[in-house]
């Protein structure tokens, strides 16, 4: 069985940041026109999306 890949299903990652943050670091509130994928390796934080806080 051949696997067909649709170009619309392959993400285009245009911006990538690796960051080690201090406890006081924060992201300024902002509206974005793209999808944000955040991967936390260690520690904890609070994300607010459309007014809903997520831990």
């Amino acid at each position: 069985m051949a696997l067909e890949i649709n170009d619309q299903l392959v993400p285009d990652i245009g911006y990538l940041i690796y960051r080690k943050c201090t406890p006081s670091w924060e992201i300024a509130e902002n509206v974005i026109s793209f999808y944000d994928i955040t991967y936390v390796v260690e520690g904890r934080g609070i994300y607010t999306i459309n007014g809903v806080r997520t831990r």
Side-chain angles (χ1 to χ4, degrees):
M1 177 189 317
L3 177 65
E4 294 182 23
I5 298 177
N6 185 333
D7 286 342
Q8 295 177 350
L9 299 177
V10 178
D12 177 23
I13 300 175
Y15 189 63
L16 176 69
I17 295 177
Y18 173 78
R19 181 178 314 229
K20 291 186 178 182
C21 305
T22 65
S24 62
W25 184 82
E26 65 180 59
I27 300 173
E29 185 176 334
N30 196 7
V31 175
I32 58 174
S33 61
F34 52 88
Y35 291 99
D36 175 53
I37 300 172
T38 300
Y39 182 75
V40 179
V41 175
E42 181 180 338
R44 61 184 176 173
I46 300 171
Y47 236 66
T48 304
I49 303 169
N50 295 331
V52 178
R53 295 181 79 173
T54 305
R55 292 181 182 255

